[in-house]
Amino acid sequence: MVLSHLLPTGQWPRRGSQVSLQLFTVSAHALAWLTLGVGLAGLGVKPAVAQAEPQPQSQPQSQRGLPDNPLTLTDPDPLIPEAVWAGEAALTESQRRTLGVALDDLARQAEAALSEGNVTEAFELWNRELRLRRFLGYRAELAALQRVGAIAWEQQQFYQLQVMRERLREIQIQSLDEVETPDLEALLALAQTYETVGARSVALEVYEAVLEVARSRGDEATQELSWQRLGETALQDLDYETAAEAYESLRELARRRGDREEEVRYLTELAYIYDRLTDYEGAIAVKQELIAYYAGFNDTARVTALKIAIGQDLAALERPNEAIAQYQEAYRLSWEALQFYRAQEALTVLGQLYERYQDWEAALQVYQAQIETHEMARNRYGLMMTYDRMGQVHQQQGNYRQALTFFSRALELAQDLGNRQAYFQSHIETVNRALSGMN
């Protein structure tokens, strides 16, 4: 679908040309009634009279076997002057202030009803408020929809959320289309409101629409804000590919303006995202950039943590020699900085890697070094766990006497710590049976 109304006047696409901005292609897991078949309208502010006009449905929901949408304007409301309700006049400034005060009072009454446990009464009051907020303009209505939507989500009022989504769709289609200059703030508010009522997939499409318009205007600030919200929403929706695109774009924007701290923040998000995507190459590249940054501040703790993470990525890529180099460097740096916890961590993953490739001798050497580190750090639990690993390595090689020695040491610590005694006793019994079979 070509969304020509989102393009500046004089830049309509020629017949047969394509515009990349495709909106509201709702994913299969979205609610069926959210499937729109229309593009998002450009957002703009219309005259007050136009805003005040009721929007009757062509086919009432009751005729389709559904209850009437409580947000639909039907019978006149005493808070709205008759001429305004009929679309014959606009609210004066004084009337707008009076209406705003009255609607705020309705909201307070609804909150009081909810606090007393009268959920149905509360949402009836909120729905009346929401029906009338539209007379104060789209931004006021969207703010109210977002506020009440958050409460409906918390209260698990799913029908209420459904009718609010329906109203948001009406705002798109009927009230905010055919404008030459899209209102980006209103678009962003619309997207946030969709998020609040649980329609994240639709919100993502709206943010993409904002990006298209912001790019066409060279509005870098709005681009960054849109990418931020798009990235956060995609992460909440576990859409890591979209999140990766968002944070790569944010990193590039930060890099172009020389904001190194912001760039690092986005790189950190990317490291997490690439891990979730199991894109190990992408994760390694990002983590190396972070290492370069933190090394400049002599932040050994972060550097060693990142080196261990890179080692794990390399191990997943079946590049053990490179992984070993990363673990060894992490151990060296943390040992020199007397950061024994990180040194222990580096030795643990290094020993496990040697075990994975059945280099038992190397694994035992690593665990012996780890014992020394645990002793210096007075980490008795870590010491117990390392004795366990050494016992298991000897057991796998058939060295049962050595295995018995280390399991016995582990059991002594377990008894002192009151932890895992039965586990080590079971191992000792297994090893003793193996020794008996050899005699």
Side-chain angles (χ1 to χ4, degrees), residues 84-304:
V84 174
W85 188 274
E88 297 170 356
L91 289 171
T92 65
E93 279 303 312
S94 175
Q95 289 172 329
R96 288 174 64 85
R97 286 194 295 271
T98 300
L99 178 59
V101 170
L103 296 182
D104 290 344
D105 185 56
L106 277 177
R108 283 191 290 271
Q109 292 178 43
E111 290 170 3
L114 183 65
S115 67
E116 294 171 2
N118 300 323
V119 178
T120 300
E121 179 188 348
F123 280 101
E124 286 176 354
L125 289 164
W126 271 314
N127 284 335
R128 184 186 177 198
E129 177 206 352
L130 293 173
R131 282 196 301 272
L132 303 183
R133 281 286 179 188
R134 71 184 68 183
F135 289 93
L136 297 178
Y138 304 129
R139 293 189 185 183
E141 184 181 4
L142 286 169
L145 283 164
Q146 189 172 127
R147 168 172 46 80
V148 178
I151 299 169
W153 183 267
E154 182 180 338
Q155 294 291 319
Q156 298 185 349
Q157 295 292 313
F158 300 117
Y159 176 69
Q160 179 70 29
L161 293 168
Q162 182 180 16
V163 299
M164 294 176 77
R165 290 169 184 165
E166 185 70 24
R167 177 54 192 158
L168 291 173
R169 186 174 74 175
E170 290 173 358
I171 291 173
Q172 298 167 206
I173 297 171
Q174 299 173 356
S175 303
L176 300 170
D177 60 353
E178 297 177 357
V179 294
E180 295 182 2
T181 306
D183 184 340
L184 296 186
E185 286 190 26
L187 268 170
L188 289 168
L190 179 65
Q192 284 184 291
T193 309
Y194 266 121
E195 284 189 72
T196 302
V197 298
R200 291 197 189 112
S201 296
V202 186
L204 288 173
E205 301 285 357
V206 180
Y207 288 131
E208 288 170 0
V210 176
L211 281 168
E212 286 288 335
V213 178
R215 284 195 199 100
S216 71
R217 296 179 183 176
D219 184 346
E220 194 166 289
T222 301
Q223 286 182 60
E224 182 161 19
L225 178 59
S226 302
W227 279 126
Q228 285 173 343
R229 291 184 179 172
L230 193 150
E232 291 165 2
T233 304
L235 280 177
Q236 291 173 354
D237 210 34
L238 306 183
D239 183 352
Y240 296 118
E241 291 184 356
T242 299
E245 180 186 359
Y247 283 104
E248 285 286 4
S249 298
L250 286 167
R251 175 178 69 162
E252 183 57 31
L253 288 173
R255 179 182 291 169
R256 284 210 304 263
R257 67 170 180 265
D259 190 338
R260 187 63 171 152
E261 288 186 7
E262 279 295 284
E263 185 182 355
V264 166
R265 185 165 73 85
Y266 298 139
L267 285 168
T268 303
E269 292 286 358
L270 282 168
Y272 169 80
I273 292 165
Y274 285 133
D275 281 345
R276 301 286 78 72
L277 287 169
T278 62
D279 180 355
Y280 301 116
E281 295 286 2
I284 289 169
V286 167
K287 290 166 188 173
Q288 285 175 334
E289 288 195 52
L290 288 170
I291 285 174
Y293 175 78
Y294 288 118
F297 293 97
N298 293 319
D299 191 337
T300 304
R302 283 196 172 95
V303 169
T304 53

Side-chain angles (χ1 to χ4, degrees), residues 2-13 19 179-180 182 213 216:
V2 175
L3 302 175
S4 58
H5 56 271
L6 280 175
L7 299 175
T9 304
Q11 296 184 24
W12 314 118
V19 176
V179 294
E180 295 182 2
V213 178
S216 71

Side-chain angles (χ1 to χ4, degrees), residues 317-437:
L317 290 170
E318 300 291 344
R319 291 155 60 180
N321 290 335
E322 294 173 71
I324 289 168
Q326 291 291 328
Y327 294 149
Q328 289 176 335
E329 180 66 7
Y331 170 70
R332 183 187 66 79
L333 288 171
S334 54
W335 180 266
E336 290 175 355
L338 303 179
Q339 294 176 355
F340 299 124
Y341 173 80
R342 194 69 71 191
Q344 293 163 11
E345 184 181 353
L347 290 174
T348 295
V349 290
L350 179 58
Q352 290 172 349
L353 184 61
Y354 281 129
E355 283 192 59
R356 174 178 164 186
Y357 289 94
Q358 298 184 358
D359 190 342
W360 309 118
E361 193 61 36
L364 288 170
Q365 289 176 8
V366 168
Y367 292 138
Q368 185 59 49
Q370 193 172 39
I371 285 173
E372 296 173 7
T373 306
H374 288 317
E375 288 174 342
M376 291 189 67
R378 298 180 181 179
N379 182 357
R380 300 176 73 201
Y381 182 84
L383 194 59
M384 177 184 73
M385 297 304 293
T386 301
Y387 283 141
D388 178 27
R389 294 308 313 161
M390 296 181 79
Q392 291 191 48
V393 169
H394 281 297
Q395 186 177 2
Q396 290 182 68
Q397 295 181 88
N399 301 328
Y400 297 118
R401 294 190 184 283
Q402 293 91 328
L404 181 61
T405 298
F406 287 110
F407 284 137
S408 297
R409 291 177 184 175
L411 178 59
E412 290 175 8
L413 288 166
Q415 289 169 338
D416 289 342
L417 295 170
N419 186 283
R420 304 191 77 187
Q421 297 101 308
Y423 168 82
F424 291 114
Q425 286 170 345
S426 175
H427 271 294
I428 288 170
E429 290 171 5
T430 300
V431 171
N432 277 328
R433 283 196 298 269
L435 283 169
S436 296

